Amino acid sequence: MTAGKLTLIFDCDGVLADTERYGHLPAFNRAFADLGVPMQWSDDEYAALVHIGGGKERITAALADSRRRGLFVDDEPPPDLVPRIHKVKTEIYRGLVADGVIPPRPGVARLIVAALSDGWRVAVASTSAPESVKSVLDSVVGPEIANGIPVFAGDVVQAKKPAPDIYLLALDSLGADPAATIVVEDSAVGMRAAVAAGLACIVTPSSYTVGEDFGPATAVVTSLGDDGEPVTVLANPHGVAFGDLIDITTLHDLLRAAGRPLTSTPQEQR
């Protein structure tokens, strides 16, 4: 562990880009159709499934519910159906990312570049498949920057969010100090994982998570902010002063407000 070295960890889905509505949901439904699986998820159905961490876990839960509703009357689904659906869905999803149909969230690319320039470690921790996360990261910041950002994703941990395991793995692998680490999440599930790992967490709710309970968050804002789309503060329990954009100064203030005083300057942390 490197005491004082600042670390910024992003979730992927709903944080780097609005991937759930514009990417994952249509990719799941196309995979079901391609494989002849008698399911199509509505927007409302998927909004409920978002509370389950991991694509395979969402498919498993939906298949169990489908059996209860009699969608597999003649035959039980084969035991390898979940990984087959997930594999096809992942390829469809990566194609959607490559086609540029998934909008990045405001301020993400700006803050990643600023943090890296200021000597922060930047990483991504997600329950999605690693190849899907890498595709989104490439599309948001470009492959050159993305190649220098560690990704912790998918089945690298057994217990997915809201369990803290993915964040604990990231901290251990990076040698990061929890007291000098801040997470950006979009959901209560992800926030609980970060908080359980002992991390400060700023929440930027996405289209499926607006209205969730973010009580333990360090702050809740509409987005990280960009030109033409300033930050609106939704919850600020520590009374941090926010401008129109979440920037490096804001991250320092949030860490201090969360009881994580920093003992070195950005230059000394490099």
Side-chain angles (χ1 to χ4, degrees):
M1 180 183 298
T2 307
K5 179 78 171 180
L6 295 168
T7 303
L8 176 61
I9 304 178
F10 291 84
D11 176 40
C12 176
D13 296 313
V15 172
L16 297 183
D18 198 353
T19 55
E20 297 289 11
R21 172 165 279 132
Y22 298 103
H24 288 294
L25 175 56
F28 275 120
N29 282 336
R30 280 176 54 184
F32 296 148
D34 288 353
L35 294 172
V37 177
M39 288 198 306
Q40 286 287 291
W41 292 340
S42 69
D43 197 66
D44 287 343
E45 286 171 329
Y46 192 66
L49 288 167
V50 165
H51 296 285
I52 300 172
K56 293 174 186 174
E57 289 76 9
R58 292 173 190 173
I59 297 167
T60 299
L63 286 174
D65 183 62
S66 295
R67 289 197 296 273
R68 285 193 295 271
R69 291 189 284 118
L71 293 186
F72 293 91
V73 176
D74 298 326
D75 300 293
E76 282 292 296
D80 67 339
L81 183 58
V82 170
R84 283 200 290 124
I85 293 172
H86 194 260
K87 181 179 179 180
V88 172
K89 174 260 173 184
T90 297
E91 290 305 310
I92 295 170
Y93 174 81
R94 293 181 69 188
L96 293 172
V97 174
D99 290 341
V101 301
I102 303 175
R105 293 293 305 274
V108 171
R110 172 188 56 76
L111 187 58
I112 287 175
V113 170
L116 291 171
S117 298
D118 204 56
W120 290 56
R121 273 179 298 233
V122 177
V124 177
S126 171
T127 58
S128 290
E131 56 269 33
S132 296
V133 176
K134 183 63 164 59
S135 294
V136 174
L137 188 58
D138 284 349
S139 72
V140 172
V141 296
E144 184 175 353
I145 293 175
N147 286 340
I149 296 175
V151 169
F152 306 92
D155 297 328
V156 291
V157 292
Q158 184 173 1
K160 296 185 178 180
K161 300 174 184 178
D165 300 37
I166 193 73
Y167 284 116
L168 295 174
L169 174 65
L171 291 171
D172 184 64
S173 299
L174 296 170
D177 182 354
T181 299
I182 189 163
V183 169
V184 184
E185 273 283 359
D186 76 303
S187 69
V189 167
M191 176 207 65
R192 292 201 301 271
V195 170
L199 305 177
C201 182
I202 182 169
V203 176
T204 59
S206 58
S207 54
Y208 284 122
T209 63
V210 173
E212 292 183 357
D213 180 7
F214 300 119
T218 309
V220 184
V221 294
T222 51
S223 73
L224 298 177
D226 252 338
D227 293 339
E229 189 163 347
V231 169
T232 297
V233 179
L234 304 176
N236 186 13
H238 300 289
V240 171
F242 285 89
D244 289 342
L245 307 176
I246 304 297
D247 56 16
I248 298 302
T249 298
T250 314
L251 296 183
H252 278 272
D253 291 344
L254 287 166
L255 282 170
R256 291 190 183 94
R260 295 160 169 83
L262 307 178
T263 59
S264 57
T265 66
Q267 290 291 333
E268 290 170 338
Q269 291 153 4
R270 294 180 183 176

